[in-house]
Short mmCIF file of all heavy atoms in Angstrom, two decimals:
data_model
loop_
_atom_site.label_atom_id
_atom_site.label_comp_id
_atom_site.label_asym_id
_atom_site.label_seq_id
_atom_site.Cartn_x
_atom_site.Cartn_y
_atom_site.Cartn_z
N GLY U 1 -3.18 19.47 27.73
CA GLY U 1 -3.90 19.11 26.49
C GLY U 1 -3.65 17.73 26.00
O GLY U 1 -4.39 17.14 25.17
N ASP U 2 -2.52 17.06 26.70
CA ASP U 2 -2.27 15.64 26.27
C ASP U 2 -3.12 14.64 27.04
O ASP U 2 -3.01 13.47 26.72
CB ASP U 2 -0.74 15.37 26.46
CG ASP U 2 0.15 16.21 25.64
OD1 ASP U 2 -0.38 16.62 24.52
OD2 ASP U 2 1.27 16.45 25.99
N ALA U 3 -3.88 15.13 28.01
CA ALA U 3 -4.73 14.14 28.82
C ALA U 3 -5.56 13.21 28.02
O ALA U 3 -5.65 12.04 28.19
CB ALA U 3 -5.41 14.94 29.91
N SER U 4 -6.31 13.78 27.04
CA SER U 4 -7.22 13.06 26.29
C SER U 4 -6.52 12.00 25.40
O SER U 4 -6.90 10.90 25.34
CB SER U 4 -8.01 13.95 25.30
OG SER U 4 -8.84 14.90 26.09
N ALA U 5 -5.36 12.35 24.76
CA ALA U 5 -4.66 11.46 23.89
C ALA U 5 -4.16 10.32 24.78
O ALA U 5 -4.13 9.15 24.35
CB ALA U 5 -3.60 12.23 23.16
N LEU U 6 -3.64 10.69 25.89
CA LEU U 6 -2.96 9.61 26.81
C LEU U 6 -4.18 8.67 27.28
O LEU U 6 -3.91 7.50 27.38
CB LEU U 6 -2.30 10.23 28.02
CG LEU U 6 -0.97 11.10 27.66
CD1 LEU U 6 -0.54 11.88 28.91
CD2 LEU U 6 -0.01 10.05 27.21
N GLY U 7 -5.30 9.20 27.54
CA GLY U 7 -6.41 8.37 27.95
C GLY U 7 -6.78 7.35 26.87
O GLY U 7 -7.10 6.21 27.04
N VAL U 8 -6.83 7.87 25.65
CA VAL U 8 -7.19 7.04 24.50
C VAL U 8 -6.23 5.96 24.29
O VAL U 8 -6.49 4.70 24.10
CB VAL U 8 -7.31 7.80 23.22
CG1 VAL U 8 -7.41 6.92 21.88
CG2 VAL U 8 -8.52 8.76 23.27
N VAL U 9 -4.87 6.29 24.38
CA VAL U 9 -3.83 5.30 24.28
C VAL U 9 -3.92 4.24 25.37
O VAL U 9 -3.79 3.05 25.20
CB VAL U 9 -2.39 5.98 24.32
CG1 VAL U 9 -1.27 4.94 24.44
CG2 VAL U 9 -2.22 6.71 23.10
N GLY U 10 -4.18 4.74 26.69
CA GLY U 10 -4.37 3.80 27.79
C GLY U 10 -5.50 2.73 27.52
O GLY U 10 -5.40 1.58 27.72
N VAL U 11 -6.65 3.26 27.07
CA VAL U 11 -7.78 2.43 26.70
C VAL U 11 -7.49 1.41 25.64
O VAL U 11 -7.73 0.27 25.70
CB VAL U 11 -9.03 3.25 26.29
CG1 VAL U 11 -10.13 2.40 25.75
CG2 VAL U 11 -9.51 4.01 27.57
N ALA U 12 -6.77 1.91 24.55
CA ALA U 12 -6.47 1.01 23.48
C ALA U 12 -5.49 -0.09 23.95
O ALA U 12 -5.65 -1.20 23.65
CB ALA U 12 -5.78 1.83 22.34
N LEU U 13 -4.47 0.29 24.74
CA LEU U 13 -3.53 -0.76 25.23
C LEU U 13 -4.29 -1.84 26.21
O LEU U 13 -3.96 -2.90 26.06
CB LEU U 13 -2.42 -0.15 25.96
CG LEU U 13 -1.44 0.76 25.16
CD1 LEU U 13 -0.45 1.42 26.08
CD2 LEU U 13 -0.67 -0.27 24.07
N HIS U 14 -5.23 -1.24 26.93
CA HIS U 14 -5.98 -2.16 27.84
C HIS U 14 -6.74 -3.13 26.95
O HIS U 14 -6.84 -4.33 27.27
CB HIS U 14 -6.81 -1.29 28.71
CG HIS U 14 -7.66 -2.09 29.65
ND1 HIS U 14 -7.15 -2.72 30.69
CD2 HIS U 14 -9.02 -2.43 29.59
CE1 HIS U 14 -8.15 -3.44 31.40
NE2 HIS U 14 -9.25 -3.21 30.71
N GLN U 15 -7.41 -2.64 25.91
CA GLN U 15 -8.25 -3.54 24.98
C GLN U 15 -7.36 -4.55 24.25
O GLN U 15 -7.76 -5.71 24.14
CB GLN U 15 -9.02 -2.63 23.97
CG GLN U 15 -10.11 -1.86 24.58
CD GLN U 15 -11.17 -2.77 25.23
OE1 GLN U 15 -11.52 -3.73 24.71
NE2 GLN U 15 -11.60 -2.31 26.29
N ILE U 16 -6.15 -4.13 23.83
CA ILE U 16 -5.26 -5.01 23.16
C ILE U 16 -4.85 -6.17 24.18
O ILE U 16 -4.87 -7.34 23.86
CB ILE U 16 -4.02 -4.32 22.58
CG1 ILE U 16 -4.34 -3.46 21.52
CG2 ILE U 16 -2.96 -5.33 22.29
CD1 ILE U 16 -3.31 -2.46 21.04
N GLY U 17 -4.48 -5.78 25.45
CA GLY U 17 -4.19 -6.78 26.41
C GLY U 17 -5.37 -7.71 26.74
O GLY U 17 -5.08 -8.89 26.84
N ASN U 18 -6.60 -7.17 26.73
CA ASN U 18 -7.73 -8.06 26.99
C ASN U 18 -7.94 -9.10 25.81
O ASN U 18 -8.30 -10.18 26.01
CB ASN U 18 -9.02 -7.19 27.26
CG ASN U 18 -8.99 -6.61 28.65
OD1 ASN U 18 -8.25 -7.04 29.47
ND2 ASN U 18 -9.83 -5.60 28.79
N GLN U 19 -7.72 -8.58 24.60
CA GLN U 19 -7.91 -9.50 23.49
C GLN U 19 -6.90 -10.53 23.43
O GLN U 19 -7.21 -11.62 23.18
CB GLN U 19 -7.84 -8.63 22.14
CG GLN U 19 -9.04 -7.74 21.94
CD GLN U 19 -8.93 -6.86 20.69
OE1 GLN U 19 -7.92 -6.90 20.07
NE2 GLN U 19 -10.02 -6.05 20.49
N ASN U 20 -5.60 -10.22 23.75
CA ASN U 20 -4.61 -11.28 23.92
C ASN U 20 -4.82 -12.27 24.91
O ASN U 20 -4.65 -13.44 24.82
CB ASN U 20 -3.23 -10.54 24.04
CG ASN U 20 -2.74 -9.90 22.72
OD1 ASN U 20 -3.18 -10.21 21.75
ND2 ASN U 20 -1.87 -8.90 22.92
N ALA U 21 -5.32 -11.75 26.14
CA ALA U 21 -5.69 -12.70 27.23
C ALA U 21 -6.91 -13.65 26.78
O ALA U 21 -6.83 -14.83 27.01
CB ALA U 21 -6.08 -11.90 28.42
N PHE U 22 -7.81 -13.07 26.07
CA PHE U 22 -8.95 -13.87 25.63
C PHE U 22 -8.45 -14.95 24.55
O PHE U 22 -8.92 -16.05 24.65
CB PHE U 22 -10.02 -12.97 24.89
CG PHE U 22 -11.18 -13.72 24.54
CD1 PHE U 22 -12.13 -14.30 25.42
CD2 PHE U 22 -11.45 -13.86 23.18
CE1 PHE U 22 -13.17 -15.07 25.00
CE2 PHE U 22 -12.56 -14.57 22.66
CZ PHE U 22 -13.45 -15.12 23.60
N ARG U 23 -7.63 -14.59 23.64
CA ARG U 23 -7.08 -15.57 22.67
C ARG U 23 -6.32 -16.70 23.39
O ARG U 23 -6.46 -17.86 23.02
CB ARG U 23 -6.25 -14.77 21.71
CG ARG U 23 -6.89 -14.01 20.72
CD ARG U 23 -6.00 -13.48 19.62
NE ARG U 23 -6.68 -12.56 18.77
CZ ARG U 23 -6.41 -11.18 18.66
NH1 ARG U 23 -5.23 -10.79 19.15
NH2 ARG U 23 -7.05 -10.40 17.93
N GLY U 24 -5.60 -16.24 24.40
CA GLY U 24 -4.81 -17.21 25.11
C GLY U 24 -5.67 -18.21 25.81
O GLY U 24 -5.47 -19.48 25.93
N ALA U 25 -6.74 -17.72 26.39
CA ALA U 25 -7.66 -18.60 27.19
C ALA U 25 -8.44 -19.45 26.20
O ALA U 25 -8.76 -20.74 26.59
CB ALA U 25 -8.70 -17.69 27.91
N ARG U 26 -8.78 -18.96 24.97
CA ARG U 26 -9.47 -19.80 24.04
C ARG U 26 -8.61 -20.98 23.61
O ARG U 26 -9.11 -22.07 23.32
CB ARG U 26 -9.88 -19.04 22.84
CG ARG U 26 -11.23 -18.41 22.93
CD ARG U 26 -11.85 -17.95 21.68
NE ARG U 26 -10.70 -17.26 20.90
CZ ARG U 26 -11.03 -16.76 19.65
NH1 ARG U 26 -12.11 -16.74 19.20
NH2 ARG U 26 -9.95 -16.24 19.03
N SER U 27 -7.34 -20.74 23.46
CA SER U 27 -6.39 -21.78 22.96
C SER U 27 -6.27 -22.92 23.92
O SER U 27 -5.84 -24.07 23.51
CB SER U 27 -5.09 -21.22 22.54
OG SER U 27 -4.32 -20.72 23.75
N ASN U 28 -6.56 -22.65 25.21
CA ASN U 28 -6.49 -23.68 26.18
C ASN U 28 -7.73 -24.56 26.33
O ASN U 28 -7.79 -25.44 27.12
CB ASN U 28 -6.10 -23.08 27.57
CG ASN U 28 -4.79 -22.51 27.53
OD1 ASN U 28 -3.84 -22.95 26.82
ND2 ASN U 28 -4.56 -21.46 28.34
N LEU U 29 -8.76 -24.13 25.61
CA LEU U 29 -10.01 -24.94 25.77
C LEU U 29 -9.98 -26.20 24.90
O LEU U 29 -9.37 -26.20 23.82
CB LEU U 29 -11.17 -24.07 25.25
CG LEU U 29 -11.54 -22.82 26.04
CD1 LEU U 29 -12.68 -22.02 25.49
CD2 LEU U 29 -11.96 -23.26 27.44
N PRO U 30 -10.72 -27.22 25.27
CA PRO U 30 -10.68 -28.50 24.49
C PRO U 30 -11.52 -28.38 23.33
O PRO U 30 -12.40 -27.46 23.38
CB PRO U 30 -11.36 -29.56 25.50
CG PRO U 30 -12.04 -28.72 26.51
CD PRO U 30 -11.35 -27.40 26.59
#
């Protein structure tokens, strides 16, 4: 029964990682 909850946590962590990567890429732009 924990599969759904673990999937949601995995997606959330993935999204947080993508947002941080995007912020880092933006800060390097002129």
